[in-house]
Amino acid sequence: MTARFSLRPAAGVASLAVAVAIAAGTLATVATVAATRVSSVQIEDWQMQGAATHAAWPVWRLRLAAAFGNAAAREALADVLVSSAHRDERREGVALYRQLARDAVPSAQGTLGHLLLRGLPGIAPDYVESRRWLSAVASHDPQAAYDLSTLYRNGYGVARDPDLAIRWLEQAAQAGVPLAQFQLANEYRFGTALPHDDALALQWLTRAANAELPEANLALAIAYRNGELGMARDEDAYWAHVKESEHDLKHVSRP
């Protein structure tokens, strides 16, 4: 009799363990569903606040959503971390971007290539890995195309290749990257990779200036002051573009 009743506590413990396991699994499922259903507006809000203030709560919410498989939260978290004042968090952000890039997330591949091209405080550039990721997305990512042209133009981690540099530069300029438009204007005006053409230089310089690139407006101002690029001297136009360049500097945002 004693032996028969002594089995009951063990059975009760087993049943309780099963119940706990089921409850834990249910909670994990609920948490996963909740995390994956977080709206893009919420994620963008947490990302904006995290990047601007690095307050604990938006970063924690991004971490939680990312931990339960929300892909958008993972990328938003990486963006917040790479802008952190703490080197360990910056390294974590780069590592997270690398995971996303290996998972074939195109936006993460372009961003990682951009970060590795320029480096971060305490994190040296890696031109070879940068080129790997930029090459993967440059055909449809204008910023990546511009970055790739920079690598080939300067010979960063690869032999200099003026033809490839111009190819990617033209693609980025055509896609509307102001810095690419400005640089392409200079190639037509001063460069050795393209034939000298003041008309094309003026065309691309004007497009960059219209995109509120400060150095483009300043270059146009100087051209009007000196009567360059086939234009007559124009003091009024000179001052107008000087003022535009000053206005642009207040709103400049560089990737």
Side-chain angles (χ1 to χ4, degrees):
M1 294 294 293
T2 302
R4 186 181 66 181
F5 287 107
S6 68
L7 293 175
R8 289 181 179 179
V13 170
S15 298
L16 179 60
V18 170
V20 169
I22 292 172
T26 301
L27 287 173
T29 301
V30 170
T32 301
V33 170
T36 54
R37 289 185 178 177
V38 172
S39 73
S40 60
V41 173
Q42 287 176 306
I43 291 174
E44 289 174 5
D45 184 54
W46 297 338
Q47 180 180 1
M48 180 180 66
Q49 294 191 44
T53 68
H54 286 279
W57 74 267
V59 177
W60 178 83
R61 289 189 175 189
L62 286 174
R63 285 188 183 279
L64 185 63
F68 281 99
N70 189 300
R74 289 175 70 200
E75 194 163 359
L77 176 61
D79 176 71
V80 172
L81 291 175
V82 296
S83 65
S84 172
H86 303 288
R87 185 174 65 177
D88 288 346
E89 290 189 343
R90 292 195 296 272
R91 290 184 181 278
E92 182 187 357
V94 170
L96 185 51
Y97 266 126
R98 189 173 281 115
Q99 292 173 14
L100 289 162
R102 289 170 178 165
D103 289 341
V105 178
S107 54
Q109 291 173 336
T111 300
L112 180 60
H114 182 80
L115 292 173
L116 294 174
L117 169 62
R118 285 158 176 77
L120 290 165
I123 303 175
D126 185 330
Y127 300 132
V128 174
E129 187 180 0
S130 173
R131 183 162 57 92
R132 170 191 173 188
W133 298 119
L134 293 174
S135 297
V137 295
S139 61
H140 55 270
D141 183 329
Q143 180 61 48
Y146 175 70
D147 288 338
L148 197 56
S149 76
T150 300
L151 284 168
Y152 283 114
R153 184 179 72 254
N154 296 294
Y156 292 155
V158 65
R160 288 188 178 185
D161 191 325
D163 292 336
L164 273 178
I166 291 296
R167 169 192 162 189
W168 291 116
L169 183 65
E170 287 177 333
Q171 181 168 313
Q174 291 285 0
V177 178
L179 280 170
Q181 294 169 342
F182 177 69
Q183 189 174 316
L184 187 57
N186 286 333
E187 287 292 338
Y188 279 115
R189 190 177 182 185
F190 308 116
T192 58
L194 289 172
H196 178 84
D197 191 321
D198 279 345
L200 284 174
L202 180 59
Q203 173 188 317
W204 287 111
L205 197 57
T206 301
R207 288 180 65 172
N210 289 340
E212 299 188 340
L213 189 70
E215 47 265 64
N217 267 302
L218 187 58
L220 273 179
I222 294 171
Y224 274 113
R225 185 189 64 188
N226 298 334
E228 299 168 343
L229 297 176
M231 299 185 297
R233 292 185 179 183
D234 189 327
E235 195 71 12
D236 291 337
Y238 164 70
W239 284 112
H241 283 287
V242 167
K243 291 177 182 177
E244 280 298 319
S245 67
E246 292 173 350
H247 169 79
D248 297 343
L249 283 169
K250 297 177 182 178
H251 305 284
V252 69
S253 176
R254 291 293 163 81

